[in-house]
Amino acid sequence: MNRFVTAERALRTAAPHALLDAVRRVLAEQYAAESVELFMADYGLTVLQPVSVLPHTLRPVPVHNSPAGRAFGAQEPYVEAGQDGLVRAHLPVSVRGDRLGVLTVTLPEAEHTDEGVRELAEVADVLAHEVIVAERDTDVYLQARRKDRLTLAAEMQWQLLPGRSCSRPEYELGAQLEPAYAIFGDNFDWSATADRLMLYVTNGMGEGIEASLLTNLAINALRNARRAGIPIADQAALADQAVYAHYHGRCYLSVLMFDFDLATGRARVVDAGSPQLLRLRGGTVERITFEAQLPLGMFEETDYVAQDFLVEPGDRLVFVSDGVYAVASPQGEAYGDAALARAITSTRLLPAAEVPRAILRELTGHRGRPVPDDDALVVCLDWHGR
């Protein structure tokens, strides 16, 4: 039997908590692997955390300036020469563009061939799919992702997300929330069909658990309407009613909603609040404004109107919450005045999945202190078109 098929079968039949044991065993048998380690990207995208029994005994690996981090960032296998006739292959563990971590395999140099590395990369892809499925039944991989304890509000928010990146021929998406371990109100959601992409960027008011509960209610109301096949303006109206019915105007949520036609790049947009959009086209950054409408839940039975918007192949769209563009420097300059445009320009060569984290690093420098006062959300969409 083909050794890749053997490895694939071993992973698909392994118990959810035992995927690492299964991949270690089959790679040792079929590929003569000396050691196998699985690292999961932490919530802040700063380190790759080892999957091991709690309390963890292996040290995290930095995402930047490490061989495993190089494979994670480039999303390509990276092989480094080892000692005593061994090599180490670092293999991205990703599902449809959603970057989960890295599989590091130590092999005898005699077993290192281009074909062998390609097969191991395919094994890492299978492992990624199995990890996503396994997370329904075990906390092993979710525990490995955290280098610090999450607040309860942050736990609720991360569980609400669709992922942090995804890719299709027509587009690439990347997103990040900060402070990763204490986020409470900001959020994003996306869903695609064969012909459409729907994207929501939300900014909920309040702090802690209350902000997280508000966002959970609004996102699930939007999803409920979306899954019923309702147009985007009516999705906003129904979510508005759900939030108002519960809070009676005491709390509300800002949202920027897009419904893209993948074939044409035409979009229907509802701008209900504070998230902002900046577009990078032909080297020029421009803030895109829409007709402002009321946030969800501010008043009873608000009507929403969708506006038209067109993206072109090569466009990069960057969505930010007020915890990004409104942050002031020690000199009082808002980040959105000029520094945000400079950050978007300076990161233009990075893939979409890398851009949010890079912009948030720039934001930390602009703020002049490591601890933010508010949630910060960045979503990057690269549009390729058909």
Side-chain angles (χ1 to χ4, degrees):
M1 184 183 295
N2 179 287
R3 60 182 183 172
F4 169 73
V5 174
T6 301
E8 182 180 35
R9 178 172 296 178
L11 286 170
R12 296 202 186 283
T13 58
H17 65 276
L19 290 174
L20 182 54
D21 291 337
V23 78
R24 280 174 171 161
R25 183 171 57 254
V26 75
L27 293 188
E29 294 172 355
Q30 301 295 325
Y31 294 85
E34 297 283 335
S35 67
V36 178
E37 299 297 340
L38 173 60
F39 297 88
M40 304 295 291
D42 89 300
Y43 288 102
L45 291 177
T46 59
V47 297
L48 297 166
Q49 290 276 115
V51 175
S52 57
V53 177
L54 293 174
H56 302 301
T57 54
L58 298 177
R59 298 185 63 181
V61 174
V63 166
H64 303 285
N65 303 318
S66 72
R70 178 171 174 174
F72 181 78
Q75 287 296 286
E76 295 286 345
Y78 177 68
V79 179
E80 60 171 336
Q83 298 178 345
D84 301 324
L86 300 174
V87 297
R88 301 181 79 198
H90 305 281
L91 312 158
V93 177
S94 305
V95 179
R96 297 186 178 91
D98 191 11
R99 306 175 306 158
L100 305 182
V102 172
L103 184 69
T104 296
V105 183
T106 303
L107 300 162
E109 192 169 3
E111 293 290 326
H112 170 226
T113 64
D114 290 344
E115 181 182 357
V117 171
R118 283 195 297 271
E119 284 188 13
L120 289 171
E122 291 178 2
V123 171
D125 285 342
V126 175
L127 176 61
H129 283 81
E130 294 304 314
V131 166
I132 292 295
V133 174
E135 285 181 348
R136 299 183 306 179
D137 301 308
T138 180
D139 287 335
V140 167
Y141 312 103
L142 292 171
Q143 287 173 324
R145 293 184 186 191
R146 52 197 74 190
K147 67 181 181 67
D148 297 306
R149 183 172 180 176
L150 291 177
T151 64
L152 178 55
E155 186 85 52
M156 295 167 65
Q157 291 294 71
W158 284 108
Q159 290 298 306
L160 192 62
L161 299 178
R164 281 189 290 193
S165 53
C166 76
S167 62
R168 276 183 50 171
E170 299 91 348
Y171 62 84
E172 295 177 38
L173 267 167
Q176 180 62 12
L177 297 166
E178 291 290 347
Y181 290 83
I183 196 77
F184 40 81
D186 291 0
N187 203 275
F188 57 87
D189 193 31
W190 57 63
S191 178
T193 65
D195 300 311
R196 310 202 72 80
L197 167 68
M198 287 197 183
L199 171 65
Y200 312 143
V201 180
T202 57
N203 183 8
M205 68 176 294
E207 297 183 357
I209 294 296
E210 291 304 316
S212 183
L213 288 170
L214 169 62
T215 302
N216 269 261
L217 173 60
I219 289 292
N220 279 292
L222 288 169
R223 287 175 175 172
N224 181 255
R226 181 184 75 214
R227 291 164 184 170
I230 294 172
I232 193 167
D234 294 330
Q235 293 177 29
L238 289 173
D240 169 74
Q241 292 174 21
V243 174
Y244 186 85
H246 188 77
Y247 291 101
H248 300 286
R250 298 188 308 274
C251 297
Y252 45 85
L253 178 132
S254 297
V255 62
L256 185 56
M257 304 170 61
F258 283 75
D259 179 5
F260 293 96
D261 184 323
L262 298 180
T264 66
R266 296 189 179 278
R268 301 287 286 164
V269 182
V270 173
D271 182 353
S274 59
Q276 291 188 5
L277 167 63
L278 293 94
R279 179 180 64 199
L280 174 63
R281 175 183 287 177
T284 301
V285 177
E286 178 186 8
R287 182 184 167 194
I288 306 298
T289 59
F290 302 99
E291 181 183 345
Q293 301 178 70
L294 294 172
L296 306 185
M298 180 174 281
F299 297 106
E300 188 174 11
E301 296 185 357
T302 303
D303 290 327
Y304 293 89
V305 178
Q307 304 162 63
D308 292 323
F309 179 64
L310 178 66
V311 284
E312 298 178 358
D315 282 355
R316 167 167 285 179
L317 306 181
V318 178
F319 307 84
V320 295
S321 67
D322 60 3
V324 175
Y325 64 77
V327 170
S329 69
Q331 293 74 37
E333 179 193 4
Y335 189 61
D337 289 347
L340 177 57
R342 290 196 298 268
I344 293 172
T345 301
S346 68
T347 58
R348 65 190 182 281
L349 299 181
L350 292 177
E354 291 281 331
V355 170
R357 182 62 190 156
I359 290 177
L360 288 169
R361 284 199 302 270
E362 296 272 352
L363 175 64
T364 300
H366 176 88
R367 187 171 53 234
R369 60 186 189 282
V371 181
D373 296 324
D374 193 9
D375 289 1
L377 163 64
V378 180
V379 178
C380 179
L381 170 63
D382 282 353
W383 189 264
H384 307 309
R386 285 186 179 167

